[in-house]
Amino acid sequence: HPHPHPHPHPHPHPTGCVVGQLDFLPRDGFQLHCSTMRATSRGTLTLQSPDPHQAPVIDPNYLSTQDDIEDLRNGVRLAVEILEQDALAEFRGKRLSPDPALDLSDDEVLDAWVRETTHSAYHPCSTCAMGSVVDSAGAVKGVSNLRVVDASIMPSVVSGNLNAPTIMLAEKCADAIRGLPPLEAQESPYWVHPDWETQQR
């Protein structure tokens, strides 16, 4: 089924090989990570105690929906297809991951590999979603003089990194707190593939 936004998101790494987030392998190379742009799995953030100094209980509940598994499965296949293009042959050595012996055509085998190797990209958000926990200016519902102004108030996951949207969100909330009117809306042109609904893979 076509998505109205990119699925998945490729992350090229042209300068080295990394396992997880920070463990670089002692060799040159290049790799292509992929992630879901709009994961459908939902985690929870709950308190384990009334003591505010005790850490909360965070359960990201990764890969709990079939859509997320399918998106990553398709992303792995597309990443391997891209990296095995003839144009990269002179730069490419033996594939490190997934193991060349892994049968990428077998959904169950590939799904198991995805579950074993997927890791977080450390972009959590939406635990105090606007509309359910806070209003449009970050004020916590039912509590006086308390605001939350960070990525946790995003009503849904954005299609990309959280940095720029969080800055924008904070600037808009800061203006609301100061009683400043919002900036005028602007329409910025952007390119849309004329056959985006049928050209996604």
Side-chain angles (χ1 to χ4, degrees), residues 4-16:
H5 42 76
H7 266 241
H9 177 203
H11 307 268
H13 293 264
T15 58

Side-chain angles (χ1 to χ4, degrees), residues 5 16 44-45 49 58-59 62 70 94-95 115 119 137 142 144 146 148 150 157-158 161 176 183 193 200:
H5 42 76
T44 58
L45 173 66
S49 162
I58 302 173
D59 176 11
Y62 294 132
E70 290 176 8
K94 178 184 176 183
R95 189 171 77 216
R115 289 187 180 281
H119 58 84
S144 300
L146 178 62
V148 178
D150 59 25
V157 181
V158 297
N161 292 339
L183 298 175
H193 192 292
Q200 296 189 67

